Amino acid sequence: MNVYAIAPLIATIAYIPLLITTAGSRPWQRRHLLFILFLVSATSWSFITFLLRSDWYPGTGSALFKISVILFCVTVVQFHCFASSFYPQGQRRWLTFAYVSLIPICILVALGYVTGRVYVESGYVRSSYRLGIVLVALPLLVLAVRNLFVFGKMLKNTNNPVLHNQLLTLTLCISILLVFTILSIPSWAKEFPIAHYGNLLNAFILSYAVIRHQLVDIKIVIRRGTAWFSLGIVGALSFWLVFIFLHSIFKFQLDMAASLIATILAIGSAIFIYKLKGQLFELMNRAFQGSSYDYHQRLNDFTGKIHNIFSLKEQGGELLGLLTKAINVKQASLLFPETGSGDYTTQFVEPKDKEGRLANLRLRAGNPVIRYMERERKTLTRENLTILPAFLGLWPREKEDIESKEISMFVPLISRDRLIAILVLGNKHAGRFSLEDLGIVEDVTSRVAVSIEKEYLREQLREREEELSVINNSSFILSSSLDIQEIFGSFIEELKKVIDIEWAAIVLLDENDLCCVALSSAEGSAYQVGERIPLEESGTGWVINQKKVFVESDLSQGRYFKTGENFYQRGLHTVVYLPLIAKGAAIGSLIITSKRANAYNQRHIKLLEQLTSQIAMPLENTLLYAKAEKKARIDELTSLLNRRSLDEMIDNEISRHSRYGGVFSLAILDLDSFKVYNDTFGHPAGDKLLRQVGTVIKSAIRTADRAFRYGGDEFAILLPQTTIDAGLQVTERVRRTIAEETSSSDIPVTISIGLASWPDDGISHTDIIAAADVTLYRAKRSGGNQSCQASGALVNLQMSGAATDIDNSIDIKILEVIRALAETVDARSYYTFNHSKRVTDYALALGKALKLDSTEMCRLEACALLHDIGKIGISDLIINKSSELTAEEWELIKSHPKLGSEIAGRIPQLSCCVNGILHHHERYDGTGYPETLKGDKIPLEARILAIADAYVAMTSERSYSGTMNHKHAIEELQKGVGAQFDPYLVEQFITIDKIGFQDDSNKARR
């Protein structure tokens, strides 16, 4: 080897670390791959040139020279491909030109038109080029100039400093390659490897650019690559030293080629042994560890990746699961310090059995085991517990607990010189713990401690954030209403996010007893809202007196209060009584229960105390509000509900009975000759009489009825779901009872009563009161001491009307009432405004064409006006909904014909309209609703309404569809002939359509 072979060799060596580093970066991107191809070609070119210049293989010079020229061309093309990957988007890269140009170049080189003679002179290998080198240089020169031109434009326009540095590096490399290649072509340069000086310079420039300026995005593998490369160099030198030493001893012939082959074989053998080592160790471990080998491997993998597991539950669960199987133990648990108390309690257990021996393990704060772990920071075995003096302070119960749970050892988890958790291991399934088992346990705990501490602290932070969220949300809930029962359920549901709660209640001090004012759930409840509870021997009584929390951790082990027995019978095991303290005084308690024993730790109790302190003041405000509201609704003299309550309850009853059907009655009562009684005995005696009458009324009515003081000497009784006849029986009982109770006084007191019924005697709030009031004064004018029924406003209208046929006639006054009802329905939606009137107009026009008589026309008009009266019972949100109805909402819509017919059926003069209203959504083919009538079985007025209603709906703006023009609506009617509509009626409808509806409808009305 001569001195001119050194430069190509150094260039080869310089490219190898860069190649290893880039190839070790995964995943490869397209730019990575192009860069690697360039590095391979550049390294190969320098290495072949090294072999050529060193003349180790005489007779192969010409072939090596040709290969060297071809590899140089490939290097230039690959560098162009790599450099062009930095071109801006849309810029043509000329890749096809670059790769295709290699074909004629290779042909020219192979045929000998490019390379000249290779010979050795004065110990140096020399070579020359022929004129064909010009043809080879031209396409390569074009690619170089193209890259310089594009990069020059990009450097002027780019503002990205990273890209700017990358472009400068590539421009410099291209320039160096171009200049040094041109200098190597003349004959005077044939002795020197000038091109490889440039290649070596490029190797250093590219290495610097990759590391410093992110020429390609690589991972940080430089240290590992450098270490392995250095190790390879040291190994090769060591091998050569041994080889030379053996040569000096045994004097065997030393040949360069044989030496190189021996070196390669030695490297291959080293690699083979290195690879075989892992498989051999694995085979031996499988043989000795048996079925637990896979768990050892999984445990080892787990400890390596635990820092990527961001859940304490996953970390603890997987750690115990793998560890118990790897060392073949029956049970294991992981204990963490409890916030507040400092006790170490079980957080994770394997096997995952809540009834397992280690499931409820607790080491109290100050336990000698914990102190030993904190001080010595090493594993504690069961044998050490019996022999070490430090454990003489263990309570006998604690020793028995450890023995009964079959605990073999305690292993500390130490992080940053602090005990953060304790691993507890039970007995092995077979045999005793070996040194290997202890080594595995201690190695695993030391490797996972930091990650587990991090997740434990994160878990505590998350729990604290959840608690703060619960506190904030609870504060919002508590301030959202003054009705504590209304908000208490939401309050407990929020609290359940962080605490296990089965049942909860608020019990307040009320004089000498307790009163339950709020429940989380009435189902299976130990108390009921409003229930009176004895103060003595109750948990609430104790916390009111002591003003501190009391916890019954396990009712199955003993019950401190009589109330505990009631809780235990309902399957509850843990009860917490928390005092409610407002302005320094205990006003009651918050009771929290769970079905689990020992369900609440110190952190839970602390949170509950914090929330209880927030509840107390709003609760006191709620009580004050309730008292004020009660005063606003209750008459102080008689303790009956007042006039305001009557007005509200009547509105509620009207709304309820309108939706669900039924009737209710209202009675107004007035004391006869009360003024005389007052004037004779004085106002205090009059007040006493009013209180007595109020008490009598309250005792004489039914449980569902409500009594009111209406004003002065007047009272009222609201009787839900009660007909006027049934109401009369109640009022007569009240009247007789009052007369009997006051018969012994000097001035007997009697009472007159007026009774009215909804909807017969009035539709609105004021109508029903007015009807009862008028009837009351009719009773008083008739001599008093009697009950009178309202005659019924609708009945009076019928009697005073001109029509005499109760089944088939409807007079003009009733029609005015009907129109008012229809307008009420139409006014509920913008889309249905004036709908009933338009349907009536078209229905009457069609009825006129059918030559119906006046009675039938009158009935048809009433049916048309009231056909949608049943929609009174359907929510406005459903009626005005623009999107598709749900199945439940559609069923509500389909119920309106039946509800409308029931409303009409309760008014005698409208009974003839029931069938028309009920069946106006039937279809001619029998697929309609509600009774799926078919053909002529559908009443005539219902068939007429079906056509009129459909036509008006199609030609009106609706919430769920657009508006059709008249022509399209008629076409839709024709499509429905025989299926939805009566064919003959549709034909008549189209006939009168050609004449015009307006005149016919007006004439029909007249």
Side-chain angles (χ1 to χ4, degrees):
M1 184 175 70
N2 57 67
V3 69
Y4 296 127
I6 295 176
L9 178 61
I10 296 175
T12 302
I13 296 172
Y15 274 113
I16 289 175
L18 186 57
L19 178 60
I20 294 173
T21 302
T22 308
S25 300
R26 298 296 180 94
W28 287 350
Q29 298 176 359
R30 183 174 177 80
R31 185 174 291 173
H32 278 86
L33 184 59
L34 293 173
F35 190 58
I36 290 171
L37 291 175
F38 160 71
L39 294 176
V40 170
S41 58
T43 306
S44 302
W45 171 44
S46 292
F47 181 70
I48 292 299
T49 305
F50 161 70
L51 294 179
L52 172 66
R53 293 276 179 178
S54 62
D55 196 26
W56 282 356
Y57 304 99
T60 60
S62 179
L64 290 176
F65 188 28
K66 290 180 179 180
I67 294 173
S68 175
V69 172
I70 292 174
L71 286 175
F72 166 75
C73 296
V74 172
T75 299
V76 174
V77 169
Q78 285 302 140
F79 191 78
H80 164 76
C81 295
F82 169 67
S84 64
S85 67
F86 290 86
Y87 282 9
Q89 189 174 3
Q91 184 73 50
R92 296 182 61 184
R93 298 174 59 185
W94 292 11
L95 297 182
T96 304
F97 170 77
Y99 283 117
V100 170
S101 65
L102 288 175
I103 298 174
I105 289 175
C106 292
I107 293 173
L108 290 173
V109 173
L111 294 177
Y113 294 110
V114 178
T115 57
R117 188 168 59 92
V118 177
Y119 57 97
V120 179
E121 182 180 330
S122 302
Y124 297 106
V125 177
R126 306 180 188 278
S127 59
S128 61
Y129 294 100
R130 294 182 177 178
L131 290 177
I133 192 66
V134 178
L135 297 176
V136 171
L138 281 176
L140 304 181
L141 183 61
V142 169
L143 293 176
V145 173
R146 165 76 173 170
N147 286 325
L148 293 174
F149 175 73
V150 174
F151 288 160
K153 288 180 20 179
M154 291 177 65
L155 286 171
K156 292 179 180 178
N157 299 325
T158 184
N159 293 320
N160 185 342
V162 175
L163 180 60
H164 187 273
N165 287 333
Q166 292 171 343
L167 294 177
L168 280 178
T169 301
L170 293 172
T171 302
L172 179 60
C173 288
I174 293 170
S175 301
I176 290 174
L177 191 60
L178 183 62
V179 171
F180 279 78
T181 301
I182 293 173
L183 291 177
S184 66
I185 294 176
S187 58
W188 55 267
K190 58 186 177 182
E191 296 182 7
F192 310 103
I194 296 176
H196 291 280
Y197 296 150
N199 196 25
L200 176 61
L201 188 57
N202 275 346
F204 291 124
I205 293 174
L206 290 174
S207 298
Y208 175 78
V210 166
I211 298 171
R212 186 64 183 271
H213 297 301
Q214 301 179 10
L215 189 63
V216 289
D217 190 14
I218 63 171
K219 295 181 179 179
I220 304 176
V221 295
I222 296 174
R223 281 190 300 175
R224 181 174 294 180
T226 304
W228 279 105
F229 180 72
S230 301
L231 185 62
I233 295 297
V234 171
L237 291 175
S238 301
F239 176 79
W240 275 90
L241 288 174
V242 172
F243 203 68
I244 293 171
F245 176 73
L246 294 174
H247 172 69
S248 63
I249 295 176
F250 298 104
K251 305 299 182 180
F252 54 81
Q253 186 178 357
L254 185 61
D255 180 72
M256 182 60 68
S259 302
L260 182 61
I261 293 172
T263 303
I264 294 173
L265 290 175
I267 294 173
S269 300
I271 295 173
F272 175 74
I273 294 171
Y274 177 77
K275 292 292 184 182
L276 185 63
K277 178 198 72 171
Q279 297 178 1
L280 181 61
F281 284 176
E282 180 181 351
L283 183 63
M284 297 302 295
N285 286 333
R286 281 188 181 277
F288 283 96
Q289 294 176 355
S291 60
S292 65
Y293 173 76
D294 289 334
Y295 292 109
H296 280 85
Q297 293 301 111
R298 289 171 59 186
L299 181 62
N300 187 57
D301 293 341
F302 168 74
T303 55
K305 69 177 184 180
I306 189 172
H307 60 279
N308 292 325
I309 300 176
F310 303 105
S311 167
L312 183 64
K313 184 177 181 180
E314 292 182 17
Q315 286 183 345
E318 191 168 354
L319 172 64
L320 293 184
L322 294 173
L323 190 60
T324 53
K325 292 179 175 62
I327 61 176
N328 199 29
V329 297
K330 294 180 180 179
Q331 56 181 349
S333 66
L334 203 55
L335 280 61
F336 288 90
E338 185 179 78
T339 304
S341 67
D343 295 351
Y344 277 74
T345 58
T346 299
Q347 297 292 326
F348 306 100
V349 65
E350 183 67 30
K352 298 177 178 64
D353 183 2
K354 292 184 178 179
E355 303 301 326
R357 294 177 177 176
L358 299 181
N360 296 317
L361 179 61
R362 172 184 287 267
L363 298 178
R364 60 183 174 82
N367 186 295
V369 172
I370 296 177
R371 290 203 300 267
Y372 178 86
M373 296 273 179
E374 291 174 339
R375 183 179 65 254
E376 301 296 334
R377 301 171 189 166
K378 62 183 181 180
T379 301
L380 175 65
T381 63
R382 184 166 54 194
E383 290 75 11
N384 290 337
L385 288 173
T386 60
I387 61 177
L388 292 178
F391 302 104
L392 296 177
L394 271 177
W395 292 355
R397 183 176 178 181
E398 291 176 327
K399 290 183 179 179
E400 292 174 4
D401 196 30
I402 292 174
E403 291 291 334
S404 64
K405 294 182 185 298
E406 298 183 358
I407 297 173
S408 289
M409 66 177 68
F410 299 89
V411 184
L413 272 72
I414 304 296
S415 175
R416 296 181 296 174
D417 295 329
R418 292 189 304 109
L419 178 67
I420 57 108
I422 299 175
L423 173 66
V424 181
L425 298 177
N427 294 337
K428 295 192 67 170
H429 286 284
R432 300 172 62 86
F433 284 95
S434 64
L435 287 176
E436 183 184 10
D437 293 334
L438 292 177
I440 290 173
V441 171
E442 291 177 351
D443 177 63
V444 166
T445 52
S446 65
R447 293 172 65 184
V448 303
V450 174
S451 296
I452 286 181
E453 182 196 26
K454 180 181 67 175
E455 291 308 317
Y456 173 67
L457 295 175
R458 184 179 295 171
E459 188 77 10
Q460 284 190 316
L461 179 61
R462 184 188 62 79
E463 290 176 353
R464 184 54 183 162
E465 288 175 348
E466 285 184 351
E467 291 173 0
L468 291 175
S469 175
V470 168
I471 291 172
N472 292 333
N473 293 340
S474 299
S475 300
F476 176 77
I477 292 171
L478 292 171
S479 62
S480 64
S481 174
L482 288 173
D483 186 346
I484 192 64
Q485 178 56 41
E486 178 185 336
I487 62 176
F488 188 61
S490 301
F491 171 75
I492 294 300
E493 287 301 318
E494 186 67 28
L495 195 54
K496 283 182 179 179
K497 294 178 180 179
V498 292
I499 297 178
D500 174 34
I501 298 177
E502 180 64 28
W503 176 85
I506 291 179
V507 178
L508 298 181
L509 186 63
D510 188 5
E511 297 179 353
N512 296 323
D513 287 331
L514 300 172
C515 180
C516 178
V517 298
L519 296 172
S520 62
S521 173
E523 185 177 353
S525 173
Y527 301 143
Q528 297 299 323
V529 174
E531 181 180 346
R532 310 291 293 186
I533 305 163
L535 181 63
E536 297 297 326
E537 298 186 21
S538 67
T540 300
W542 190 92
V543 298
I544 288 176
N545 291 329
Q546 301 297 323
K547 295 184 180 180
K548 59 182 181 180
V549 179
F550 189 86
V551 181
E552 290 190 88
S553 300
D554 191 351
L555 293 178
S556 64
Q557 300 299 318
R559 295 172 281 283
Y560 294 91
F561 309 107
K562 287 183 177 180
T563 51
E565 184 65 32
N566 195 5
F567 294 139
Y568 183 66
Q569 290 176 358
R570 285 168 169 77
L572 303 173
H573 284 78
T574 304
V575 183
V576 181
Y577 300 92
L578 298 118
L580 295 167
I581 301 175
K583 299 179 181 177
I587 61 173
S589 74
L590 169 65
I591 304 175
I592 301 293
T593 66
S594 172
K595 287 188 174 181
R596 294 189 299 110
N598 302 302
Y600 307 122
N601 55 33
Q602 288 297 320
R603 181 178 64 84
H604 295 145
I605 300 300
K606 202 169 184 180
L607 175 62
L608 289 172
E609 286 180 320
Q610 192 170 358
L611 289 172
T612 304
S613 65
Q614 291 187 343
I615 292 176
M617 190 55 67
L619 191 58
E620 186 179 40
N621 294 337
T622 298
L623 294 176
L624 294 175
Y625 171 76
K627 290 179 181 178
E629 186 179 35
K630 185 176 180 181
K631 286 185 177 181
R633 296 179 180 277
I634 301 296
D635 178 64
E636 292 186 6
L637 180 62
T638 62
S639 297
L640 299 179
L641 296 169
N642 58 19
R643 172 66 184 272
R644 174 188 172 187
S645 299
L646 174 64
D647 292 339
E648 291 178 356
M649 288 191 179
I650 289 178
D651 288 336
N652 291 338
E653 290 300 314
I654 290 175
S655 176
R656 185 164 66 92
H657 286 78
S658 297
R659 178 177 292 273
Y660 301 109
V663 298
F664 69 87
S665 297
L666 174 68
I668 296 181
L669 304 78
D670 184 77
L671 292 177
D672 300 325
S673 306
F674 180 70
K675 186 176 184 303
V676 176
Y677 189 95
N678 237 359
D679 292 342
T680 303
F681 298 105
H683 289 287
D687 291 345
K688 182 179 179 181
L689 176 63
L690 291 174
R691 280 195 294 271
Q692 182 183 2
V693 170
T695 302
V696 171
I697 292 174
K698 197 170 184 179
S699 63
I701 61 177
R702 301 167 304 180
T703 305
D705 301 333
R706 292 289 180 267
F708 306 84
R709 185 181 180 192
Y710 191 61
D713 59 345
E714 291 184 323
F715 296 85
I717 304 173
L718 186 62
L719 304 103
Q721 293 290 343
T722 305
T723 63
I724 197 165
D725 293 331
L728 184 61
Q729 296 178 15
V730 176
T731 57
E732 278 297 290
R733 182 170 64 247
V734 171
R735 184 185 63 80
R736 288 193 301 269
T737 305
I738 290 174
E740 291 170 2
E741 291 289 335
T742 60
S743 60
S744 59
S745 63
D746 295 334
I747 301 179
V749 177
T750 59
I751 195 165
S752 298
I753 305 174
L755 186 64
S757 177
W758 184 93
D760 290 347
D761 301 315
I763 299 295
S764 68
H765 168 114
T766 55
D767 290 344
I768 190 68
I769 291 179
D773 209 32
V774 168
T775 308
L776 167 65
Y777 284 100
R778 191 173 73 200
K780 294 184 77 67
R781 285 195 302 271
S782 299
N785 193 23
Q786 59 182 293
S787 299
C788 286
Q789 295 175 252
S791 56
L794 296 179
V795 176
N796 286 339
L797 289 172
Q798 180 186 3
M799 295 299 295
S800 62
T804 58
D805 188 344
I806 193 169
D807 293 325
N808 299 308
S809 299
I810 301 174
D811 61 24
I812 300 302
K813 292 183 179 179
I814 286 296
L815 285 177
E816 294 303 321
V817 175
I818 292 170
R819 290 191 182 96
L821 290 174
E823 289 174 1
T824 301
V825 175
D826 289 354
R828 297 182 67 195
S829 171
Y830 164 81
Y831 300 101
T832 60
F833 179 74
N834 222 22
H835 172 78
S836 296
K837 182 179 180 300
R838 293 189 63 202
V839 171
T840 303
D841 290 339
Y842 289 115
L844 290 176
L846 183 53
K848 179 68 173 177
L850 297 173
K851 299 185 177 354
L852 300 181
D853 60 31
S854 59
T855 301
E856 292 172 327
M857 291 290 285
C858 189
R859 185 168 62 246
L860 179 60
E861 182 175 8
C863 289
L865 286 169
L866 292 178
H867 73 285
D868 279 341
I869 190 67
K871 289 184 178 178
I872 284 178
I874 299 174
S875 168
D876 290 347
L877 294 176
I878 298 177
I879 291 175
N880 295 319
K881 188 174 181 180
S882 58
S883 58
E884 185 178 354
L885 296 178
T886 63
E888 183 179 357
E889 291 169 343
W890 181 238
E891 288 301 319
L892 286 174
I893 288 291
K894 288 168 67 174
S895 69
H896 84 271
K898 187 174 182 180
L899 180 57
S901 67
E902 289 176 355
I903 293 173
R906 295 185 183 279
I907 304 175
Q909 283 192 311
L910 299 179
S911 60
C912 58
C913 301
V914 170
N915 287 334
I917 296 172
L918 179 63
H919 299 297
H920 76 278
H921 276 294
E922 301 285 356
R923 293 172 62 94
Y924 198 77
D925 60 2
T927 60
Y929 62 89
E931 295 180 359
T932 64
L933 298 184
K934 184 176 181 181
D936 293 335
K937 291 183 179 180
I938 303 172
L940 176 62
E941 57 266 29
R943 284 178 278 153
I944 293 173
L945 287 179
I947 295 172
D949 190 29
Y951 179 83
V952 172
M954 288 187 288
T955 57
S956 303
E957 184 180 359
R958 309 293 265 181
S959 61
Y960 50 84
S961 65
T963 304
M964 287 188 187
N965 59 34
H966 168 72
K967 180 180 178 182
H968 287 165
I970 293 297
E971 290 174 357
E972 289 297 319
L973 290 177
Q974 289 174 326
K975 289 179 183 178
V977 166
Q980 183 174 358
F981 309 114
D982 186 327
Y984 175 73
L985 296 183
V986 173
E987 181 181 351
Q988 293 299 314
F989 189 87
I990 295 173
T991 301
I992 61 174
D993 166 56
K994 296 176 181 178
I995 302 172
F997 287 108
Q998 189 63 37
D999 292 337
D1000 287 340
S1001 62
N1002 288 341
K1003 289 175 184 178
R1005 287 185 180 282
R1006 288 195 291 271

